[in-house]
Amino acid sequence: MHIRDGILSPEVCAVAGVVSAAAIGYSLRQLSRQRDSHAVPLTGMVAALVFAGQMVNFPLFGLPVSGHLLGGVLAAALVGPWAGCLAISVVLIVQAVLFADGGLMSLGVNILNMAVIGCWGGGAMYESLRRLVGTNLRGSLVAVIVAAYLSVLAAAACFCGEFVASAHDIPFPVQPLTWFMVLYHALIGIGEAAITGGVLAFVWSRRPQLLAASETSVPSWRPLTAAGVAVACVIAAVLSPWASEWPDGLEAVGDRVGFNDLGQDRVLLLSDYALPVPSGWEAVSVSAAGVLGTLVVLCVGWLLISRVTPSPVPVPDASHAG
Amino acid sequence: MPVDVAPMRTENLCRWWPADLKLGLALLAILVVGLLSPEQWPAAAAVGVLLLMGHALAGTSLTWICHRSAVWLSTLVLLGAAMWWSIPTAAAGLWLWSFFVRCAVAVLAGLWLMQVLSAQELLVTLRRWHVPGLLIVMVSFLLRYLVVLWEEHERLWRAQQSRGAGSATSWQLWHLALERVGMLLLRSLDRSERIHRAMLARGWDGSPRGLE
């Protein structure tokens, strides 16, 4: 999963670097706010552990390739998303600079895919699933296994997006690459989920208080949501003008079968992801349409969730009881 | 430690260059080849030749470079398979060739940096570049305790082998590996507790300090 230099364009690396730097800064701020001096050596030790874990590659069911632990969800489950994000970032910095594993220019991309998505996204998924299925051992195991598996797929999907944004002049369709990436990482995800679940089960059986202690560092969903919306807006604003001009899978099939011309006059607004602007401003138009679409989807989603979520039951005041 | 580092030679002439210069040169080489178009691949190859000269100055063996470069072959195999599926054209062939050259040069730059930059130089450079102190402390912890953890892992593995892990089935080997990682985790958490107490005894207040 370590992306090497030369694969992605400098522009994409620069944007991902800025997003990753902001994520590291935010994580450092959150960690400093906890005022727990133990967090620094603990994060350093977890980083060393993940580094050692990433050196052990596991075979992929007889295929001539191998995978290794990403460790984002494991770190988030053990020390929380902020310290976990910093631990994985530190691992990636040392691997890139001192061990030539992963690129220097693509360091920001690697941090975004493995540390930010792995720990923030995977950690949020883990906590949400735990609340859904239960915080006992069984619930936690199900949550961590699913979150670890999905975090690998999310990182692979992000790479595909970054690759398409980098190589917008790529002379062949990128769908096969996407399929290969998803299939390959669907197998790696099994190893990641097995290792993460196995380690968590072992820790639970030997030292359950460690996992109980990490629950205190569960973040509120509000900053996570705000960070997610910010990342989505940045991607929509900055990367969308470089989107590949090749048709997607459905359009390619539509071209071949001949149903692409149907329904073209039914577009209400933002036709082909663009706002009506003067010529020469097409890139700005696509960015603005991307941000607008993201915000509209957010508002609709928010509205739907607020409608279907039951309002909290009022707790009777104990002083009036009896 | 299974990290594949070439043996350091005494005639490593780049070792004494300033750390900022070494990092800057490696980054510049990667940036330049990244900005070149597919048609300009000979220029990228020229940068690669310069990097090979840098490797010669650092005293790196060609066998080691070839061995390490083989790591990213899986990416190329993946892309080649994707292109084969997509009915390749001449333009696609040129794109893949320039992609190959670009990646090779970037790998050469990374390997050169690995040979000429020490961990101590990295920490000093990070401090000079005003990287947040907490992050530098975490990097120093990682570098300090990585070796300790790996030795711990070796001890655990030897102990498991002496209890008959050598004749285990592949399913049991997976189980033993998970137990090893879990045990390593518990021991590293215990060690972090001890380090924390020692740091508090020496006046640690949460703010990073370096030996100036």
Side-chain angles (χ1 to χ4, degrees):
Chain A
M1 181 47 84
H2 291 70
I3 300 168
R4 288 161 204 287
D5 284 324
I7 295 177
L8 300 178
S9 71
E11 294 89 349
V12 170
C13 292
V15 172
V18 170
V19 175
S20 300
I24 289 176
Y26 188 76
S27 297
L28 277 171
R29 206 173 123 205
Q30 292 295 324
L31 202 67
S32 304
R33 274 187 185 175
Q34 289 178 5
R35 297 187 181 283
D36 177 13
S37 60
H38 185 205
V40 177
L42 184 64
T43 309
M45 292 305 288
V46 169
L49 181 82
V50 172
F51 193 107
Q54 287 196 351
M55 287 196 293
V56 184
N57 282 33
F58 49 82
L60 283 182
F61 310 101
L63 292 175
V65 284
S66 66
H68 65 76
L69 179 76
L70 299 190
V73 175
L74 181 64
L78 289 170
V79 291
W82 316 127
C85 178
L86 291 174
I88 305 289
S89 302
V90 163
V91 168
L92 293 169
I93 291 169
V94 171
Q95 282 175 334
V97 181
L98 293 181
F99 298 97
D101 193 6
L104 284 172
M105 200 169 69
S106 36
L107 182 61
V109 183
N110 283 325
I111 291 177
L112 179 67
N113 291 356
M114 287 192 263
V116 181
I117 291 175
C119 292
W120 287 18
M125 220 177 326
Y126 166 64
E127 278 308 323
S128 310
L129 284 170
R130 268 186 91 202
R131 285 173 193 172
L132 205 69
V133 288
T135 53
N136 54 0
L137 172 61
R138 198 172 170 180
S140 297
L141 273 183
V142 169
V144 86
I145 285 170
V146 173
Y149 186 77
L150 291 180
S151 74
V152 174
L153 284 187
C158 266
F159 167 74
C160 291
E162 289 148 3
F163 188 76
V164 170
S166 288
H168 51 96
D169 56 344
I170 191 167
F172 58 91
V174 289
Q175 283 89 350
L177 174 76
T178 310
W179 278 114
F180 270 112
M181 279 298 287
V182 171
L183 284 173
Y184 178 62
H185 285 88
L187 295 175
I188 292 179
I190 296 172
E192 174 88 9
I195 294 173
T196 310
V199 171
L200 201 79
F202 183 84
V203 173
W204 191 288
S205 66
R206 299 289 176 98
R207 205 94 53 94
Q209 69 274 18
L210 276 177
L211 296 172
S214 72
E215 279 178 31
T216 55
S217 60
V218 173
S220 154
W221 60 272
R222 283 174 202 276
L224 272 178
T225 310
V229 171
V231 169
C233 285
V234 167
I235 289 171
V238 183
L239 295 185
S240 56
W242 281 294
S244 173
E245 291 174 3
W246 283 87
D248 67 11
L250 185 64
E251 284 172 346
V253 174
D255 274 343
R256 204 162 278 224
V257 179
F259 62 72
N260 265 358
D261 295 335
L262 301 174
Q264 275 198 345
D265 55 343
R266 291 180 196 167
V267 177
L268 293 175
L269 72 166
L270 300 184
S271 170
D272 216 6
Y273 295 98
L275 291 170
V277 289
S279 96
W281 288 81
E282 285 81 7
V284 179
S285 156
V286 173
S287 291
V291 174
L292 189 64
T294 307
L295 293 176
V296 168
V297 170
L298 173 74
C299 292
V300 172
W302 192 287
L303 200 69
L304 278 173
I305 287 171
S306 62
R307 292 274 172 184
V308 298
T309 307
S311 52
V313 180
V315 180
D317 192 350
S319 60
H320 298 294
Chain B
M1 289 277 289
V3 178
D4 187 12
V5 181
M8 200 61 76
R9 295 187 179 184
T10 48
E11 64 266 26
N12 187 342
L13 298 175
C14 311
R15 192 75 178 171
W16 312 113
W17 295 3
D20 306 74
L21 178 69
K22 290 185 273 194
L23 263 169
L25 281 176
L27 273 171
L28 185 69
I30 294 164
L31 187 67
V32 165
V33 295
L35 288 171
L36 293 173
S37 65
E39 291 77 23
Q40 292 170 319
W41 66 266
V47 176
V49 172
L50 287 177
L51 281 166
L52 279 176
M53 287 163 68
H55 274 291
L57 284 176
T60 323
S61 82
L62 201 60
T63 322
W64 181 80
I65 293 175
C66 293
H67 177 68
R68 283 297 310 240
S69 304
V71 176
W72 54 274
L73 271 178
S74 62
T75 312
L76 278 187
V77 168
L78 189 77
L79 270 166
M83 288 190 69
W84 170 76
W85 194 351
S86 311
I87 313 168
T89 59
L94 175 68
W95 188 90
L96 187 64
W97 171 245
S98 77
F99 177 79
F100 175 83
V101 173
R102 215 163 54 216
C103 287
V105 173
V107 167
L108 279 178
L111 292 178
W112 179 74
L113 194 63
M114 180 180 170
Q115 285 306 102
V116 298
L117 192 78
S118 69
Q120 191 57 37
E121 280 177 312
L122 171 67
L123 290 173
V124 172
T125 311
L126 288 179
R127 195 167 292 132
R128 205 180 302 138
W129 287 4
H130 301 288
V131 171
L134 274 180
L135 212 61
I136 298 173
V137 175
M138 286 173 192
V139 172
S140 65
F141 268 115
L142 165 62
L143 293 169
R144 168 73 184 81
Y145 289 102
L146 183 59
V147 182
V148 179
L149 274 187
W150 191 259
E151 284 169 0
E152 196 94 40
H153 174 264
E154 295 287 298
R155 269 200 296 276
L156 285 168
W157 178 227
R158 274 199 299 277
Q160 285 183 339
Q161 280 180 319
S162 67
R163 290 197 292 269
S167 57
T169 60
S170 53
W171 174 251
Q172 286 168 329
L173 279 176
W174 260 91
H175 190 261
L176 286 172
L178 288 179
E179 199 176 293
R180 227 161 42 236
V181 177
M183 192 60 88
L184 203 61
L185 173 70
L186 294 183
R187 290 190 183 181
S188 57
L189 293 179
D190 287 342
R191 193 180 288 274
S192 83
E193 284 286 343
R194 288 202 296 277
I195 296 165
H196 181 233
R197 280 201 292 273
M199 285 164 74
L200 287 178
R202 291 187 181 97
W204 165 259
D205 57 358
S207 52
R209 292 173 214 171
L211 291 173
E212 305 299 341

